[in-house]
Amino acid sequence: MYTMLRDSNPIAAKISLDVMIDLYKRNIWNDAKTVNVITTACFSKVTKILVGSLTFFLGTDDEDKKDSDSDSEDEGPTARDLMVRYSTGKKTSKNKKKMEKAMKVLKKHKKKKKAEVFNFSAIHLIHDPQDFAEKLLKQLEGSKERFEVKIMLMELISRLVGIHELFLFNFYPFVQRFLQPHQREVTKILLCAAQASHQLVPPEIIEPVVTTIANNFVTDRNSGEVMTVGINAIKEIVARCPLSMSEDLLQDLTQYKSHKDKNVVMSSKGLIHLFRDLNPKMLHRKDRGKPTESSTEARIHDYGELEAKDHIPGAEVLEVETEKTKEGGDDEDGWESVSMSEEEDDDGEWVNVHHSSDEEQEEVAEKLQSIPAEERQAKAAAVSTSRILTQDDFKKIRLAQMTKDMNAAPGKGQKRKNEDEETERGELLTLRDIERLHKKPKSNKETRLATAMAGRTDRKDFVKKKNKLNPYASTSNKEKRKKKNFMMMKQSRGVRTKGKRSFREKQIALRDTLLKKKKHK
């Protein structure tokens, strides 16, 4: 089967490729050898074989992702814990706002600690991704295939560069040539430029790409949608390679927060929110927002710089374990006391074990805020080296971190973060990240007419149907009067006196109607 893929007969090669892809998806031949054999089909001169192999590598493992999400353990405080905490007390608007704020902070922390899920395992099984990407780029530069096939090659190269963090410096000038608003499938090309960015690429390589997007897309001569797409692409590139953004360009792009188009405004504010977390000092003073502990310490690391910590951040909320607590065996986790109580308690009664409540942890976290940062780091280092932290200790640390973020959340006078900006940045980008429009574009007359016709139904379904006892019977005079021309009926007494009857005449008419209905019953 592997050798048949190199067969001169294209039909046999295509069948072998389809069989290997099908067996891989059925988890039968899902090893690295099969994947690396399929990589050889990406250099085939037969278009069908080339497109089939590219489609295989550009797919996603949705089922594996669902399984991994369901298997992941949910640690720390849950949404139910927060709802119970804030709903047991007095129901006031203040408590309601605090609960909503706590829910947002919890959602943000859950996304931060979620384990990384590989979007497609086949890309990770390639033996030499650097050599494979270089050969694909050489094939792309001399390719005479259709434009759609070239886009697929660009997408695969960008995924290889972004996932494996490769050095392929010639790819960025190649993509830069296509970054024009009138270019066909320009959003996919912008997606490739963002996907191929990572922290190990020198900033002087990606900076011309960012400048080209800003000059060609983010100008007032373009429409609001074009400007929005350009700012979104710049934001995704800078999120992966922060050093590629200069301070002058950033402050120029943030000025679009007062643009007349709402889509441009929201994209510019999304860029501001991104740099509030990366490096607020690059923004104007009025755009930095409410200072928090994380924002004051935030800075963009230099190229190739790594940060190694000697302590667990947030461990200062715990107590340092001393020799006295070790000998006494009465640690705050209560492991020894619980095990002894289980042996002594033969009656099966409940044993009350004291645990500090969430409110006490919040008070401890608030008190620690008044202590200088150096002392807090020293205490955190002492706690980290003096004891082995349990799951309860990590839960307390996460709760304290959430409390700090909740207390430092924006107030009423500040604009809150849009929920779309809080979405998790996964391993792969989607077109939704580039084409995100916060305001629905205006539809033309043809679109509105098509929508109206699609929602229009036959009005006969909503008309009350009067079934006759005899379908062949003649109609009454009353029904005939309904179909007559108004000019024929305007001189009749019923038409002339309609609405001018006396109260007595209305009484008689109502009585006759009720009697008639009673007879028919």
Side-chain angles (χ1 to χ4, degrees):
M1 185 66 66
Y2 292 158
T3 56
M4 195 184 298
L5 190 60
R6 305 183 186 90
D7 200 330
S8 58
N9 188 358
I11 298 176
K14 181 67 170 61
I15 292 174
S16 67
L17 176 65
D18 294 340
V19 169
M20 282 189 286
I21 291 174
D22 191 38
L23 290 173
Y24 183 91
K25 290 180 178 179
R26 292 171 185 260
N27 290 327
I28 299 173
W29 284 3
N30 55 354
D31 54 347
K33 185 176 181 181
T34 306
V35 173
N36 285 276
V37 170
I38 296 176
T39 56
T40 60
C42 295
F43 306 105
S44 176
K45 296 181 180 179
V46 182
T47 306
K48 285 187 177 182
I49 299 175
L50 172 62
V51 171
S53 58
L54 293 176
T55 307
F56 168 71
F57 284 107
L58 293 176
T60 54
D61 282 342
D62 296 332
E63 296 178 0
D64 295 346
K65 191 172 182 181
K66 289 178 184 177
D67 294 340
S68 59
D69 289 344
S70 62
D71 294 340
S72 61
E73 296 181 358
D74 193 10
E75 300 174 354
T78 60
R80 184 177 178 277
D81 297 338
L82 295 177
M83 290 180 67
V84 169
R85 184 192 306 173
Y86 288 104
S87 60
T88 51
K90 192 174 181 181
K91 295 183 180 179
T92 59
S93 58
K94 183 178 180 181
N95 281 341
K96 186 179 178 182
K97 289 179 181 177
K98 286 181 72 176
M99 187 183 73
E100 292 175 356
K101 197 180 292 185
M103 287 291 186
K104 286 187 177 180
V105 175
L106 176 67
K107 184 179 178 183
K108 186 177 179 181
H109 276 258
K110 291 285 184 186
K111 288 176 179 176
K112 278 185 179 179
K113 76 181 187 69
K114 188 182 290 186
E116 185 180 16
V117 177
F118 293 143
N119 286 77
F120 194 53
S121 55
I123 293 182
H124 297 272
L125 295 176
I126 298 174
H127 289 320
D128 191 357
Q130 178 71 39
D131 183 60
F132 182 48
E134 290 176 359
K135 290 180 179 179
L136 284 176
L137 180 59
K138 185 177 180 181
Q139 181 184 357
L140 176 62
E141 290 174 344
S143 176
K144 296 181 181 179
E145 298 286 347
R146 299 195 313 272
F147 184 73
E148 291 80 3
V149 181
K150 291 182 179 179
I151 290 290
M152 295 177 71
L153 282 168
M154 290 172 64
E155 288 181 355
L156 180 55
I157 294 171
S158 64
R159 289 193 184 188
L160 287 167
V161 173
I163 292 174
H164 292 282
E165 295 185 346
L166 306 178
F167 293 101
L168 201 66
F169 297 157
N170 292 335
F171 180 67
Y172 303 99
F174 179 82
V175 173
Q176 190 175 342
R177 294 184 298 171
F178 298 95
L179 297 178
Q180 297 289 340
H182 57 79
Q183 174 65 45
R184 186 162 54 123
E185 301 286 352
V186 69
T187 52
K188 290 186 178 180
I189 299 174
L190 289 170
L191 182 67
C192 295
Q195 183 65 57
S197 305
H198 55 86
Q199 293 183 350
L200 297 182
V201 181
E204 58 269 13
I205 300 295
I206 302 183
E207 192 172 355
V209 179
V210 177
T211 307
T212 302
I213 296 173
N215 293 337
N216 294 344
F217 288 82
V218 193
T219 57
D220 290 328
R221 66 175 180 269
N222 292 329
S223 62
E225 288 79 6
V226 174
M227 296 174 67
T228 304
V229 167
I231 297 177
N232 289 340
I234 291 174
K235 185 183 72 172
E236 296 299 333
I237 292 174
V238 172
R240 285 159 173 74
C241 185
L243 293 172
S244 60
M245 174 67 77
S246 62
E247 187 172 351
D248 295 336
L249 179 59
L250 176 63
Q251 294 182 1
D252 185 24
L253 294 176
T254 55
Q255 296 300 318
Y256 286 100
K257 66 179 182 178
S258 58
H259 196 267
K260 60 182 180 180
D261 194 313
K262 185 180 178 181
N263 293 320
V264 180
V265 171
M266 297 304 292
S267 299
S268 178
K269 287 183 178 179
L271 193 62
I272 292 173
H273 289 311
L274 175 65
F275 272 87
R276 281 181 183 176
D277 297 333
L278 293 178
N279 189 7
K281 296 179 181 178
M282 293 180 66
L283 297 167
H284 282 293
R285 187 179 181 85
K286 59 183 179 180
D287 294 333
R288 293 175 186 175
K290 188 176 181 180
T292 61
E293 183 181 356
S294 59
S295 65
T296 52
E297 298 175 357
R299 71 177 184 87
I300 298 176
H301 298 293
D302 295 333
Y303 179 70
E305 180 184 0
L306 296 177
E307 184 180 6
K309 294 183 179 180
D310 57 349
H311 64 279
I312 299 174
E316 61 269 11
V317 297
L318 305 175
E319 295 298 329
V320 181
E321 190 176 85
T322 60
E323 294 295 331
K324 184 178 180 180
T325 58
K326 290 180 182 178
E327 293 174 1
D330 188 19
D331 57 347
E332 60 176 337
D333 298 324
W335 290 104
E336 192 170 335
S337 61
V338 171
S339 61
M340 291 175 65
S341 63
E342 288 176 354
E343 294 173 1
E344 296 172 0
D345 189 17
D346 297 331
D347 299 333
E349 297 179 358
W350 290 96
V351 179
N352 294 325
V353 182
H354 176 71
H355 291 283
S356 59
S357 62
D358 295 339
E359 287 78 6
E360 293 176 0
Q361 292 296 326
E362 291 182 7
E363 292 177 2
V364 171
E366 291 175 0
K367 288 179 182 178
L368 288 171
Q369 292 296 318
S370 58
I371 303 176
E374 296 178 357
E375 295 183 11
R376 275 182 283 162
Q377 289 183 3
K379 186 181 178 183
V383 171
S384 303
T385 55
S386 67
R387 55 189 292 186
I388 298 175
L389 301 184
T390 62
Q391 291 299 322
D392 290 336
D393 294 335
F394 283 110
K395 184 177 180 180
K396 292 174 186 177
I397 292 172
R398 280 193 290 269
L399 189 63
Q401 296 287 350
M402 284 174 54
T403 305
K404 284 195 297 185
D405 292 345
M406 193 178 73
N407 294 335
K412 293 181 180 178
Q414 291 176 305
K415 297 288 185 181
R416 297 195 177 194
K417 282 186 180 182
N418 196 313
E419 292 184 1
D420 291 339
E421 303 302 332
E422 298 177 2
T423 53
E424 182 187 7
R425 243 176 216 99
E427 192 180 28
L428 290 183
L429 283 171
T430 60
L431 277 177
R432 168 69 180 157
D433 300 321
I434 304 295
E435 298 176 349
R436 182 185 290 120
L437 297 178
H438 295 270
K439 185 180 179 182
K440 190 177 180 180
K442 290 183 178 180
S443 56
N444 52 15
K445 184 178 179 181
E446 291 76 11
T447 308
R448 293 196 300 270
L449 186 61
T451 306
M453 295 301 293
R456 185 172 294 176
T457 56
D458 191 1
R459 300 304 302 174
K460 292 180 181 179
D461 298 337
F462 304 98
V463 177
K464 185 178 179 181
K465 297 178 181 180
K466 295 180 180 179
N467 296 324
K468 295 181 181 179
L469 296 176
N470 184 8
Y472 302 104
S474 177
T475 55
S476 62
N477 290 333
K478 186 177 180 181
E479 292 176 347
K480 289 176 181 177
R481 279 200 301 269
K482 290 181 181 179
K483 296 182 180 180
K484 282 187 178 179
N485 193 355
F486 177 73
M487 298 302 293
M488 298 172 63
M489 297 293 296
K490 71 175 185 177
Q491 297 298 332
S492 64
R493 184 174 179 274
V495 175
R496 284 188 285 109
T497 60
K498 188 177 182 181
K500 298 180 182 180
R501 291 186 297 173
S502 64
F503 180 71
R504 178 61 183 164
E505 289 174 342
K506 291 180 181 179
Q507 271 187 329
I508 295 170
L510 179 61
R511 182 195 64 188
D512 295 340
T513 305
L514 294 175
L515 289 172
K516 192 174 181 181
K517 286 184 178 180
K518 192 174 182 181
K519 283 180 183 179
H520 286 295
K521 286 183 181 179

